[in-house]
């Protein structure tokens, strides 16, 4: 009975995840994520580099409305929320800031350099996970080694890209670095919300983040004059809105999939998955838009592949980690029932803790 309480009902666009093996859960969520963001990458490369439109705040604003519309089509309403609105204020501020800085950085960095910078977020995600209340994550040594290999590969790639691409500047580096820190905090905060309130759905997380985040986008758009410039440019080229809506629909699939990964596997594992996706997107960008690929680029990508392979190594003691996780959840999820139910619940917690203290054979 205790183990049943540990598993929360999760589904992805009508596909039940709860009753499936872990590897199937991972495959389904990762496939949705890869599809959504591969399409997103192609659309961004076209809009920013081919059309020379660099209105990151405005594009994020438009796509947030598309998210809200698609979530309503999925049948979600605010009445289904399990967390208060204030929970999502901090989350939305970080999310919108990250989106805006990421999209804005494309005006200063070419797309492959931008996605490789973003891939380094696995390190700050792992570091921040040790300090976020409700998580206190501790990772094995091979996962830190994996992350370091990724970072080394990204640095080598970035140096090579700076030599071959004219669209690379310190302003872009600062913008993407800010987005990187925000992303690291964001992933751990989302995992903490799923952990402390297991009934939270992916649709609630995305809906509330988008709705609360919309007002955060208005001041930077007005202060920088981007709102009026973007409106004028897009009015002259209305087909851009078609690309934006298509991109938002694909990204919506990716966003819901990544929230599923965070809820089921945690922020650090999700960060590794996003790194793999960005490497694939990078290669597609070179193939589709015929950019020069040097030996230094190849070395960087090889180190990234080594880091991902190291991450796939199984944990030596998975049972101990999972039972500890459940013990923490059990302590957090206090029942609002009568005294007898509370007594039984406390006995279940003590049983889990006693089991955790036993030596593993």
């Amino acid at each position: 009975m205790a183990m049943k309480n540990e598993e929360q009902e999760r589904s992805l666009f009508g596909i039940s995840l709860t009753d499936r093996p872990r590897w199937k859960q991972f495959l389904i969520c990762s496939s949705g994520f890869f599809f959504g963001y591969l399409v997103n990458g192609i659309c961004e490369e076209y809009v920013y580099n081919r059309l020379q439109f660099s209105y990151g705040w405005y594009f994020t604003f438009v796509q947030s409305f598309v998210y809200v519309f698609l979530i309503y089509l999925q049948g979600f309403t605010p009445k289904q929320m399990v967390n208060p609105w204030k929970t999502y204020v901090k989350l939305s501020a970080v999310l919108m800031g990250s989106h805006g800085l990421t999209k804005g950085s494309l005006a200063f960095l070419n797309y492959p350099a931008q996605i490789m910078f973003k891939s380094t977020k696995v390190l700050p995600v792992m570091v921040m996970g040790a300090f976020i209340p409700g998580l206190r994550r501790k990772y094995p040594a091979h996962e830190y080694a994996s992350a370091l290999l990724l970072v080394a590969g990204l640095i080598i790639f970035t140096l090579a890209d700076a030599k071959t691409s004219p669209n690379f500047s310190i302003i872009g580096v600062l913008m993407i670095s800010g987005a990187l820190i925000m992303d690291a905090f964001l992933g751990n905060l989302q995992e903490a919300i799923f952990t402390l309130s297991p009934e939270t759905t992916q649709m609630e997380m995305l809906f509330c983040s988008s709705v609360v985040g919309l007002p955060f986008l208005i001041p930077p758009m007005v202060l920088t004059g981007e709102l009026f410039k973007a409106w004028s440019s897009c009015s002259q080229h209305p087909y851009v809105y078609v690309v934006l809506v298509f991109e938002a629909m694909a990204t919506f699939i990716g966003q819901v999939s990544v929230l599923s990964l965070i809820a089921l596997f945690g922020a650090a594992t999700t960060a590794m998955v996003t790194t793999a996706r960005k490497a694939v997107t990078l290669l597609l960008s070179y193939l589709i838009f015929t950019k020069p690929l040097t030996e230094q680029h190849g070395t960087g990508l090889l180190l990234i592949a080594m880091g991902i392979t190291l991450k796939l190594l199984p944990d030596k003691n998975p049972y101990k980690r999972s039972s500890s996780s459940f013990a923490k959840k059990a302590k957090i999820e206090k029942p609002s029932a009568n005294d007898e139910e509370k007594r039984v619940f406390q006995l279940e917690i003590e049983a889990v803790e006693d089991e955790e203290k036993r030596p593993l054979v």
Side-chain angles (χ1 to χ4, degrees):
M1 179 175 178
M3 287 303 294
K4 187 164 183 168
N5 289 339
E6 181 185 7
E7 291 236 11
Q8 299 297 325
E9 284 291 333
R10 295 286 173 196
S11 63
L12 182 63
F13 300 113
I15 302 174
S16 176
L17 300 173
T18 306
D19 299 328
R20 298 177 185 273
R22 294 283 285 175
W23 70 270
K24 284 188 178 181
Q25 294 176 350
F26 185 82
L27 182 62
I28 293 171
C29 296
S30 298
S31 297
F33 176 71
F34 267 77
F35 169 78
Y37 276 92
L38 284 174
V39 175
N40 167 268
I42 295 173
C43 291
E44 283 192 343
E45 177 79 6
Y46 176 77
V47 171
Y48 282 91
N49 285 353
R50 297 294 164 172
L51 299 182
Q52 298 298 312
F53 284 5
S54 56
Y55 308 119
W57 300 106
Y58 182 75
F59 289 171
T60 301
F61 188 76
V62 173
Q63 289 179 345
S64 295
F65 279 104
V66 178
Y67 287 169
V68 172
F69 176 72
L70 292 174
I71 291 170
Y72 268 113
L73 290 182
Q74 294 291 317
F76 178 83
T77 63
K79 294 181 180 179
Q80 301 173 16
M81 291 174 55
V82 298
N83 297 303
W85 282 101
K86 64 180 182 180
T87 303
Y88 296 101
V89 173
K90 183 189 299 183
L91 183 70
S92 299
V94 175
L95 178 63
M96 292 303 169
S98 173
H99 281 346
L101 288 173
T102 298
K103 291 179 180 294
S105 68
L106 285 172
F108 304 95
L109 302 174
N110 72 343
Y111 190 70
Q114 182 256 353
I115 60 173
M116 298 304 284
F117 261 111
K118 290 278 285 183
S119 297
T120 61
K121 78 175 184 179
V122 64
L123 275 178
V125 163
M126 295 174 73
V127 172
M128 285 189 182
F131 301 99
I132 297 293
L135 292 181
R136 306 296 183 186
R137 295 288 187 192
K138 293 183 179 179
Y139 299 97
H142 79 268
E143 293 200 18
Y144 283 104
S146 171
L148 288 173
L149 280 172
L150 280 173
V151 172
L154 297 171
I155 291 174
I156 291 175
F157 174 87
T158 303
L159 292 176
D161 194 60
K163 295 176 182 178
T164 59
S165 173
N167 196 14
F168 186 90
S169 72
I170 189 62
I171 297 177
V173 172
L174 292 175
M175 291 181 71
I176 202 64
S177 297
L180 179 66
I181 296 172
M182 289 184 176
D183 273 349
F185 180 75
L186 176 67
N188 282 294
L189 185 58
Q190 288 172 327
E191 184 182 353
I193 293 174
F194 281 126
T195 301
L196 299 175
S197 300
E199 298 84 7
T200 305
T201 64
Q202 303 95 306
M203 292 300 170
E204 174 184 335
M205 181 79 73
L206 186 55
F207 175 82
C208 295
S209 300
S210 300
V211 171
V212 177
L214 281 169
F216 286 99
L217 294 172
I218 297 176
M221 284 194 299
V222 175
L223 292 175
T224 61
E226 182 177 309
L227 176 62
F228 310 104
K229 294 177 183 177
W231 178 266
S232 175
S233 298
C234 293
S235 297
Q236 296 175 11
H237 305 87
Y239 61 87
V240 172
Y241 286 109
V242 178
V243 179
L244 288 179
V245 171
F246 182 73
E247 178 187 353
M249 293 173 65
T251 310
F252 175 74
I253 297 174
Q255 283 278 355
V256 178
S257 299
V258 78
L259 288 174
S260 301
L261 282 169
I262 291 174
L264 293 170
F265 298 95
T269 298
T270 303
M272 296 295 287
V273 174
T274 62
T275 298
R277 185 270 304 177
K278 287 164 185 171
V280 174
T281 305
L282 169 71
L283 293 177
L284 288 178
S285 176
Y286 275 104
L287 292 174
I288 294 174
F289 298 102
T290 61
K291 296 180 179 180
L293 187 65
T294 66
E295 290 184 2
Q296 196 167 342
H297 284 105
T299 302
L301 291 174
L302 178 61
L303 289 176
I304 292 170
M306 292 171 62
I308 294 173
T309 302
L310 188 59
K311 165 64 181 175
L312 296 178
L313 291 178
D315 294 328
K316 295 181 179 179
N317 205 355
Y319 174 76
K320 184 175 181 180
R321 190 170 69 175
S322 63
S323 72
S324 175
S325 175
F326 173 60
K328 290 179 181 178
K329 288 184 180 180
K331 291 179 181 178
I332 294 170
E333 298 168 13
K334 297 179 181 178
S336 57
N338 57 37
D339 293 339
E340 180 62 19
E341 289 176 329
K342 290 181 180 179
R343 187 181 68 83
V344 173
F345 186 77
Q346 183 61 35
L347 289 174
E348 290 179 351
I349 295 176
E350 293 173 358
V352 172
E353 291 175 341
D354 290 340
E355 183 69 24
E356 184 178 13
K357 293 176 183 178
R358 294 177 186 174
L360 298 176
V361 181

